[in-house]
């Protein structure tokens, strides 16, 4: 998978995260690792920062549930509007986490 194909795969996966659910940067990386040969949460974060404006970027958070850096206020408002359970300053990952093979 080329770097451009990986960017597209990340964006496609983020587009599939259902309303009211979230994935971590590492979760996105892990879900694509077998196909892509890459497993870097940091790389996913960089892709989201550079190319994520056209997808539901607010549904991608840190493994601990922290909201996207620099966009916490907007992400929080969007997530609340979707009914995502929050805990403190972040998302309740145990309640809101999603996996692409969920329900299969």
């Amino acid at each position: 998978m080329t770097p451009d194909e990986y960017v597209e795969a990340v964006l496609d996966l983020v587009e599939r995260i259902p309303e009211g659910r979230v994935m971590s940067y590492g979760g996105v990386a892990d879900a694509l690792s077998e196909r892509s040969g890459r497993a870097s949460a940091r790389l996913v974060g960089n892709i989201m920062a550079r190319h994520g404006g056209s997808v539901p970027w607010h549904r991608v958070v840190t493994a601990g549930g922290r909201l996207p850096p620099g966009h916490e206020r907007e992400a929080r408002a969007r997530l609340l509007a979707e009914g995502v359970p929050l805990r403190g300053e972040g998302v309740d990952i145990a309640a809101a986490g999603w996996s692409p093979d969920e329900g299969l």
Side-chain angles (χ1 to χ4, degrees):
M1 182 177 286
T2 68
D4 287 341
E5 290 171 333
Y6 187 66
V7 168
E8 287 303 313
V10 167
L11 298 176
D12 288 345
L13 178 54
V14 171
E15 188 71 45
R16 291 177 37 217
I17 301 170
E19 186 173 310
R21 305 296 294 275
V22 298
M23 284 186 80
S24 69
Y25 296 100
V28 172
D30 289 346
L32 297 172
S33 65
E34 194 171 309
R35 277 191 324 167
S36 70
R38 296 169 177 87
S40 169
R42 183 168 292 184
L43 178 57
V44 170
N46 286 332
I47 290 168
M48 292 303 297
R50 291 183 178 153
H51 308 284
S54 64
V55 297
W57 55 268
H58 58 283
R59 295 180 189 154
V60 183
V61 299
T62 69
R66 283 194 4 238
L67 304 176
H71 303 281
E72 295 89 351
R73 180 175 284 169
E74 184 175 354
R76 184 178 191 77
R78 288 179 181 218
L79 293 169
L80 282 171
E82 292 183 5
V84 172
L86 301 179
R87 175 179 286 163
E89 295 297 313
V91 172
D92 182 348
I93 292 285
W98 179 77
S99 172
D101 45 38
E102 192 172 293
L104 295 179

